[in-house]
Amino acid sequence: MTRIAICAPSTPFTREDAARVIALAAAEFPTLELVFHDQCFACDGHFAGPDALRLSTLLECADDPSFDAVWLARGGYGAVRIAGEAVARMGEAARGKTFLGYSDGGTLLGALYRAGIGAPVHGPMPSDIRRERGEAAVRRALTYLSGDNSGLEPGLDERPAAAFNLMTLAMLCGTDLMPDLSGHVVLVEEVSEYLYAVDRLFFHVTAHLSGIAGLRLGRVSDVPENDRVFGAEPEGIARYWCGRAGIPYLGAADIGHDAANKIVPFGIASRRNAS
């Protein structure tokens, strides 16, 4: 039996959605045991409880040797407020765990990868159950946690890789949470940002990614309508800034804030599945 701890380093989850995820897992993944920590349902303004609660819960889940993986309940914003201290305080048990999430969770995944703790993995979260065809996204994550790599992003190759939401990566760049991505293929996606903001983010991110093997662009979705046309589509923006920075642009990636979001383990060794 693979035991999976679920906590919320960023924003709250609901008991109703947790019940849906547990029911899906019970019906289709009998070798998995999902344990939602009560902290997932706490609320302190924007956050799933105050910083101290989110930090202590993350450490509790990471350091409990009875769990094989830590699954982040949802994104939003908040992980960055606790990621540095959490990683600094994690014990030996955390080093053998898979940590699965995306979006704002990329802050924690990046910090873990920098510290060499566990196996950080970009992939669907319990909150994706709310999306159209969201059960397929949750099922993809549970399949991976069961030891099946069929949900991996299809363009992954022998080179190390890492995947981030573009805004999250931009916020990591230049901080003491940013991992060394030299030689990596970096996959990025974005949601709900104006195209001029996407352009601004690429300006910043590409200035910090010298030495990577290349960049691949996932879906840029739910782009708000501005009062004027920007004049370039997301791929054109990515190609432009990659060209200016001397970064190889390697084409499309099958990741995004949607139910089709594929799984990208950080590095190469961590592509060994969770079983």
Side-chain angles (χ1 to χ4, degrees):
M1 179 72 70
T2 298
R3 301 189 73 235
I4 301 162
I6 304 171
C7 61
S10 303
T11 55
F13 203 44
T14 69
R15 294 186 185 275
E16 293 77 14
D17 288 331
R20 293 176 62 196
V21 174
I22 289 172
L24 189 158
E28 301 183 27
F29 299 89
T31 64
L32 299 183
E33 180 186 355
L34 305 190
V35 180
F36 278 88
H37 197 288
D38 277 346
Q39 175 269 327
C40 292
F41 317 117
C43 186
D44 183 46
H46 171 86
F47 304 105
D51 290 355
L53 176 63
R54 300 197 323 281
L55 173 62
S56 64
T57 301
L58 176 57
L59 288 170
E60 178 185 338
C61 293
D63 289 339
D64 186 337
S66 73
F67 289 115
D68 303 286
V70 176
W71 198 13
L72 310 185
R74 60 170 301 182
Y77 170 72
V80 72
R81 295 167 65 111
I82 64 171
E85 185 174 355
V87 167
R89 291 173 55 184
M90 283 181 186
E92 191 60 31
R95 297 186 176 276
K97 286 184 171 58
T98 296
F99 292 82
L100 178 62
Y102 75 107
S103 189
D104 186 63
T107 300
L108 177 60
L109 299 181
L112 288 164
Y113 194 52
R114 176 185 174 116
I117 295 175
V121 181
H122 162 105
M125 298 179 290
S127 60
D128 287 310
I129 197 77
R130 301 173 180 173
R131 299 188 187 277
E132 183 179 358
R133 298 184 297 277
E135 287 189 355
V138 171
R139 190 176 290 114
R140 186 178 309 115
L142 294 174
T143 297
Y144 180 78
L145 291 168
S146 297
D148 183 338
N149 285 339
S150 60
L152 293 184
E153 203 283 333
L156 299 178
D157 56 25
E158 72 283 357
R159 294 171 292 187
F164 295 92
N165 169 260
L166 183 60
M167 176 67 80
T168 300
L169 179 57
M171 296 302 101
L172 281 175
C173 287
T175 74
D176 58 5
L177 301 182
M178 178 68 177
D180 180 4
L181 297 177
S182 300
H184 288 59
V185 176
V186 178
L187 293 71
V188 296
E189 54 79 25
E190 190 50 85
V191 63
S192 301
E193 293 289 346
Y194 290 103
L195 288 179
Y196 70 79
V198 173
D199 192 81
R200 181 188 292 143
L201 290 169
F202 267 109
F203 154 72
H204 180 68
V205 163
T206 54
H208 289 269
L209 293 182
S210 61
I212 68 169
L215 183 140
R216 296 174 58 206
L217 180 63
R219 287 175 287 282
V220 177
S221 57
D222 297 336
V223 177
E225 184 176 348
N226 196 18
D227 59 356
R228 65 187 70 195
V229 175
F230 181 69
E233 293 303 311
E235 182 178 10
I237 294 170
R239 286 183 179 276
Y240 173 80
W241 287 107
C242 283
R244 284 190 54 162
I247 295 170
Y249 177 73
L250 302 178
D254 194 5
I255 63 170
H257 269 67
D258 52 43
N261 184 30
K262 297 301 190 297
I263 292 169
V264 182
F266 282 41
I268 295 177
S270 58
R271 290 180 200 165
R272 295 191 301 268
N273 55 44
S275 64

CSV table of all heavy atoms in Angstrom, one decimal, residues 185-186 188 202 212-218 234-243 246-253:
chain,number,residue,atom,x,y,z
A,185,VAL,N,16.1,21.1,-19.8
A,185,VAL,CA,15.0,21.6,-20.6
A,185,VAL,C,14.0,22.1,-19.7
A,185,VAL,O,13.5,21.4,-18.8
A,185,VAL,CB,14.5,20.5,-21.5
A,185,VAL,CG1,13.2,21.0,-22.3
A,185,VAL,CG2,15.5,20.0,-22.5
A,186,VAL,N,13.6,23.4,-19.8
A,186,VAL,CA,12.7,24.0,-18.9
A,186,VAL,C,11.4,24.2,-19.6
A,186,VAL,O,11.3,24.8,-20.7
A,186,VAL,CB,13.2,25.4,-18.4
A,186,VAL,CG1,12.2,26.1,-17.5
A,186,VAL,CG2,14.5,25.2,-17.7
A,188,VAL,N,7.5,25.7,-19.4
A,188,VAL,CA,6.7,26.7,-18.7
A,188,VAL,C,5.3,26.8,-19.3
A,188,VAL,O,5.1,26.5,-20.5
A,188,VAL,CB,7.4,28.1,-18.8
A,188,VAL,CG1,8.7,28.1,-18.1
A,188,VAL,CG2,7.6,28.6,-20.3
A,202,PHE,N,8.8,36.8,-19.6
A,202,PHE,CA,9.8,36.2,-20.4
A,202,PHE,C,11.1,37.0,-20.4
A,202,PHE,O,12.2,36.5,-20.4
A,202,PHE,CB,9.4,35.9,-21.9
A,202,PHE,CG,8.8,34.5,-22.1
A,202,PHE,CD1,7.4,34.3,-22.3
A,202,PHE,CD2,9.6,33.4,-22.0
A,202,PHE,CE1,6.9,33.1,-22.4
A,202,PHE,CE2,9.1,32.1,-22.2
A,202,PHE,CZ,7.7,32.0,-22.4
A,212,ILE,N,20.8,26.8,-19.8
A,212,ILE,CA,19.8,25.7,-19.9
A,212,ILE,C,19.9,25.1,-21.3
A,212,ILE,O,20.4,25.7,-22.3
A,212,ILE,CB,18.4,26.1,-19.6
A,212,ILE,CG1,17.8,27.1,-20.7
A,212,ILE,CG2,18.3,26.8,-18.2
A,212,ILE,CD1,16.3,27.3,-20.6
A,213,ALA,N,19.4,23.9,-21.4
A,213,ALA,CA,19.5,23.1,-22.7
A,213,ALA,C,18.4,23.7,-23.7
A,213,ALA,O,18.6,23.5,-24.9
A,213,ALA,CB,19.3,21.6,-22.4
A,214,GLY,N,17.4,24.3,-23.2
A,214,GLY,CA,16.4,24.8,-24.0
A,214,GLY,C,15.1,25.1,-23.3
A,214,GLY,O,15.0,24.6,-22.1
A,215,LEU,N,14.2,25.7,-23.9
A,215,LEU,CA,12.9,26.1,-23.3
A,215,LEU,C,11.7,25.5,-24.2
A,215,LEU,O,11.8,25.7,-25.4
A,215,LEU,CB,12.7,27.6,-23.1
A,215,LEU,CG,11.5,28.0,-22.4
A,215,LEU,CD1,11.8,29.2,-21.4
A,215,LEU,CD2,10.4,28.5,-23.4
A,216,ARG,N,10.7,25.0,-23.5
A,216,ARG,CA,9.5,24.5,-24.2
A,216,ARG,C,8.3,25.2,-23.6
A,216,ARG,O,8.3,25.5,-22.4
A,216,ARG,CB,9.4,23.0,-24.1
A,216,ARG,CG,10.5,22.2,-24.8
A,216,ARG,CD,10.3,20.7,-24.6
A,216,ARG,NE,9.1,20.2,-25.1
A,216,ARG,CZ,8.5,19.2,-24.6
A,216,ARG,NH1,9.0,18.5,-23.6
A,216,ARG,NH2,7.3,18.8,-25.1
A,217,LEU,N,7.4,25.6,-24.5
A,217,LEU,CA,6.2,26.4,-24.0
A,217,LEU,C,5.0,25.6,-24.0
A,217,LEU,O,4.5,25.0,-25.0
A,217,LEU,CB,6.0,27.6,-25.0
A,217,LEU,CG,4.8,28.5,-24.6
A,217,LEU,CD1,5.1,29.2,-23.3
A,217,LEU,CD2,4.6,29.5,-25.8
A,218,GLY,N,4.4,25.5,-22.8
A,218,GLY,CA,3.1,24.9,-22.6
A,218,GLY,C,2.0,25.8,-23.0
A,218,GLY,O,2.2,26.9,-23.6
A,234,PRO,N,1.7,33.9,-27.9
A,234,PRO,CA,2.7,33.4,-26.9
A,234,PRO,C,3.9,32.7,-27.5
A,234,PRO,O,5.0,32.9,-27.0
A,234,PRO,CB,1.8,32.4,-26.1
A,234,PRO,CG,0.5,33.0,-26.1
A,234,PRO,CD,0.3,33.5,-27.5
A,235,GLU,N,3.8,31.9,-28.5
A,235,GLU,CA,5.0,31.3,-29.1
A,235,GLU,C,5.9,32.3,-29.6
A,235,GLU,O,7.1,32.2,-29.5
A,235,GLU,CB,4.6,30.3,-30.1
A,235,GLU,CG,5.8,29.5,-30.7
A,235,GLU,CD,5.5,28.5,-31.7
A,235,GLU,OE1,4.3,28.4,-32.2
A,235,GLU,OE2,6.4,27.7,-32.1
A,236,GLY,N,5.4,33.3,-30.3
A,236,GLY,CA,6.2,34.4,-30.8
A,236,GLY,C,7.0,35.1,-29.7
A,236,GLY,O,8.2,35.5,-29.8
A,237,ILE,N,6.3,35.3,-28.6
A,237,ILE,CA,7.0,36.0,-27.4
A,237,ILE,C,8.1,35.1,-26.9
A,237,ILE,O,9.2,35.6,-26.7
A,237,ILE,CB,5.9,36.2,-26.3
A,237,ILE,CG1,4.9,37.3,-26.8
A,237,ILE,CG2,6.6,36.7,-25.0
A,237,ILE,CD1,3.7,37.4,-25.8
A,238,ALA,N,7.8,33.8,-26.8
A,238,ALA,CA,8.9,32.9,-26.3
A,238,ALA,C,10.0,32.8,-27.2
A,238,ALA,O,11.2,32.9,-26.8
A,238,ALA,CB,8.3,31.5,-26.1
A,239,ARG,N,9.8,32.7,-28.5
A,239,ARG,CA,10.9,32.7,-29.5
A,239,ARG,C,11.7,34.0,-29.4
A,239,ARG,O,12.9,33.9,-29.5
A,239,ARG,CB,10.3,32.5,-30.9
A,239,ARG,CG,9.8,31.1,-31.1
A,239,ARG,CD,9.3,30.9,-32.6
A,239,ARG,NE,8.9,29.6,-32.9
A,239,ARG,CZ,9.7,28.6,-33.3
A,239,ARG,NH1,11.0,28.8,-33.4
A,239,ARG,NH2,9.2,27.4,-33.6
A,240,TYR,N,11.0,35.1,-29.3
A,240,TYR,CA,11.7,36.4,-29.3
A,240,TYR,C,12.7,36.5,-28.1
A,240,TYR,O,13.9,36.8,-28.3
A,240,TYR,CB,10.7,37.5,-29.2
A,240,TYR,CG,11.3,38.9,-29.0
A,240,TYR,CD1,11.8,39.6,-30.1
A,240,TYR,CD2,11.4,39.5,-27.8
A,240,TYR,CE1,12.4,40.9,-30.0
A,240,TYR,CE2,11.9,40.8,-27.6
A,240,TYR,CZ,12.4,41.4,-28.7
A,240,TYR,OH,13.0,42.7,-28.6
A,241,TRP,N,12.2,36.2,-26.9
A,241,TRP,CA,13.1,36.4,-25.7
A,241,TRP,C,14.1,35.2,-25.7
A,241,TRP,O,15.3,35.5,-25.2
A,241,TRP,CB,12.3,36.4,-24.5
A,241,TRP,CG,11.6,37.8,-24.4
A,241,TRP,CD1,10.2,38.0,-24.5
A,241,TRP,CD2,12.2,39.0,-24.1
A,241,TRP,NE1,10.0,39.4,-24.4
A,241,TRP,CE2,11.2,40.0,-24.1
A,241,TRP,CE3,13.5,39.4,-23.9
A,241,TRP,CZ2,11.4,41.4,-23.9
A,241,TRP,CZ3,13.8,40.8,-23.7
A,241,TRP,CH2,12.8,41.7,-23.7
A,242,CYS,N,13.8,34.0,-26.1
A,242,CYS,CA,14.8,33.0,-26.1
A,242,CYS,C,15.9,33.4,-27.1
A,242,CYS,O,17.1,33.2,-26.8
A,242,CYS,CB,14.2,31.7,-26.6
A,242,CYS,SG,13.3,30.8,-25.3
A,243,GLY,N,15.5,33.9,-28.3
A,243,GLY,CA,16.5,34.4,-29.2
A,243,GLY,C,17.4,35.4,-28.7
A,243,GLY,O,18.7,35.4,-28.9
A,246,GLY,N,19.9,33.8,-26.2
A,246,GLY,CA,20.7,32.7,-26.7
A,246,GLY,C,20.2,31.4,-26.2
A,246,GLY,O,21.0,30.4,-26.1
A,247,ILE,N,18.9,31.2,-25.9
A,247,ILE,CA,18.4,30.0,-25.4
A,247,ILE,C,17.7,29.2,-26.5
A,247,ILE,O,16.8,29.8,-27.2
A,247,ILE,CB,17.4,30.3,-24.2
A,247,ILE,CG1,18.1,30.9,-23.0
A,247,ILE,CG2,16.6,29.0,-23.8
A,247,ILE,CD1,17.2,31.4,-21.9
A,248,PRO,N,18.0,28.0,-26.7
A,248,PRO,CA,17.3,27.2,-27.8
A,248,PRO,C,15.8,27.1,-27.4
A,248,PRO,O,15.4,26.7,-26.3
A,248,PRO,CB,17.9,25.9,-27.8
A,248,PRO,CG,19.3,26.1,-27.1
A,248,PRO,CD,19.1,27.2,-26.1
A,249,TYR,N,14.9,27.5,-28.4
A,249,TYR,CA,13.5,27.3,-28.2
A,249,TYR,C,13.2,26.0,-28.8
A,249,TYR,O,13.4,25.7,-30.0
A,249,TYR,CB,12.7,28.4,-28.9
A,249,TYR,CG,11.2,28.2,-28.8
A,249,TYR,CD1,10.6,28.3,-27.6
A,249,TYR,CD2,10.5,27.7,-29.9
A,249,TYR,CE1,9.2,28.1,-27.5
A,249,TYR,CE2,9.1,27.5,-29.8
A,249,TYR,CZ,8.5,27.6,-28.6
A,249,TYR,OH,7.1,27.4,-28.4
A,250,LEU,N,12.6,25.1,-28.0
A,250,LEU,CA,12.4,23.7,-28.4
A,250,LEU,C,11.0,23.3,-28.7
A,250,LEU,O,10.7,22.1,-28.9
A,250,LEU,CB,13.0,22.8,-27.3
A,250,LEU,CG,14.5,23.0,-26.9
A,250,LEU,CD1,14.9,22.1,-25.8
A,250,LEU,CD2,15.3,22.8,-28.2
A,251,GLY,N,10.1,24.3,-28.8
A,251,GLY,CA,8.7,24.0,-29.3
A,251,GLY,C,7.7,23.8,-28.1
A,251,GLY,O,8.0,24.2,-27.0
A,252,ALA,N,6.6,23.2,-28.4
A,252,ALA,CA,5.5,23.1,-27.5
A,252,ALA,C,5.7,22.0,-26.5
A,252,ALA,O,6.4,21.0,-26.6
A,252,ALA,CB,4.2,22.8,-28.3
A,253,ALA,N,5.0,22.2,-25.3
A,253,ALA,CA,5.0,21.3,-24.2
A,253,ALA,C,3.5,21.0,-23.8
A,253,ALA,O,2.7,21.9,-23.9
A,253,ALA,CB,5.8,21.8,-23.0
